Amino acid sequence: MITFYTYPGPNSRKAQIMLEESGEAYETRTVDITKGEQFDPAYLRISPNNKIPAIVDHTPSGDVPVFETAAILIYLAEKTRRLLPAAGPGRIDVMAWLVWGTGGVGGTLPQLHHYADLPERVPGTVERFATEAVRLFNVLERRLKDREYICGDYSIADIPTFCSAAGWLGRVRELSDGKLGETPAIDRWLKAVASRPAVKRVG
Ligand SMILES: N[C@@H](CCC(=O)N[C@@H](CS)C(=O)NCC(=O)O)C(=O)O
């Protein structure tokens, strides 16, 4: 049994999709980050970076806490031998695109969101993050032109970028003054990932 520490939002969605894909049994505990529950000393022992999501895997040999979305996805993939090649160049390719999705895409889009939604715009901020978001979506579009999924087969590399792109592609297009062109490969991929039963169950 796994305990899943969560609060509604894109990062929790990434971890929950992988929990569903993995087939592992899990129970959900809400950590209300609007009330500061992420700073509770008991939670900090699980997630020292005071963020959600996190999991604790209650294994026969003891509890295994895991924080950081990418680490949670790798942990579940390794445990269940799903959505991550066991060895070889395919494995490091998935790792590279997973880090790209959680760090690059997942790091940029919330900044854009933050600066675009401020009551008063800070000069240069929206442009800076919109330019980077456009660059990242162009990288993704090129990557998906001749592949069904980011690393060929569906893998943990698809999950974080899917969650970010599904919520943000339209907004990036809107905020970047026409600099992001058509993205037929991303649009096709978004539909394919959204149609997966695990993704539908998470909603
Ligand atoms: N790098 C972390 C980021 C997680 C993150 O930003 N979580 C936010 C909610 S989406 C959070 O817990 N914020 C609470 C806080 O910053 O105190 C990951 O990928 O898991």
Side-chain angles (χ1 to χ4, degrees), residues 11 33 38-39 50-53 68-69:
N11 286 309
I33 60 173
Q38 69 275 34
F39 298 105
N50 66 265
K51 304 233 180 222
I52 50 88
E68 280 293 327
T69 305

Side-chain angles (χ1 to χ4, degrees), residues 157-170:
D158 292 288
I159 296 172
T161 303
F162 165 78
C163 292
S164 299
W168 270 87
L169 187 59

Side-chain angles (χ1 to χ4, degrees), residues 4-159:
F4 172 44
Y5 294 87
T6 179
Y7 189 77
N11 286 309
S12 289
R13 188 178 179 216
K14 298 168 193 175
Q16 194 173 4
I17 288 173
M18 186 54 193
L19 280 162
E20 290 289 334
E21 295 281 7
S22 74
E24 289 286 293
Y26 66 95
E27 58 176 9
T28 296
R29 295 264 174 87
T30 300
V31 178
D32 190 338
I33 60 173
T34 67
K35 293 190 179 144
E37 288 176 8
Q38 69 275 34
F39 298 105
D40 188 296
Y43 185 65
L44 288 176
R45 282 194 285 280
I46 295 162
S47 181
N49 195 37
N50 66 265
K51 304 233 180 222
I52 50 88
I55 61 168
V56 175
D57 188 5
H58 307 286
T59 73
S61 43
D63 284 355
V64 183
V66 189
F67 74 103
E68 280 293 327
T69 305
I72 294 168
L73 268 54
I74 294 167
Y75 178 84
L76 293 170
E78 286 186 334
K79 178 171 181 170
T80 61
R81 297 181 190 197
R82 289 186 196 182
L83 307 186
L84 175 66
R91 180 178 172 86
I92 195 63
D93 199 37
V94 169
M95 295 287 197
W97 284 97
L98 174 68
V99 171
W100 178 84
T102 50
V105 180
T108 300
L109 298 190
Q111 302 295 333
L112 178 57
H113 182 79
H114 172 80
Y115 286 110
D117 288 346
L118 285 180
E120 271 182 50
R121 289 269 169 100
V122 180
T125 50
V126 171
E127 293 75 7
R128 176 189 162 93
F129 289 107
T131 300
E132 177 61 0
V134 168
R135 190 191 69 78
L136 289 161
F137 280 129
N138 282 333
V139 170
L140 184 62
E141 179 68 15
R142 278 202 305 277
R143 181 73 184 174
L144 289 168
K145 264 205 168 96
D146 52 3
R147 285 172 190 81
E148 201 175 349
Y149 296 99
I150 293 178
C151 294
D153 293 333
Y154 180 66
S155 73
I156 53 171
D158 292 288
I159 296 172

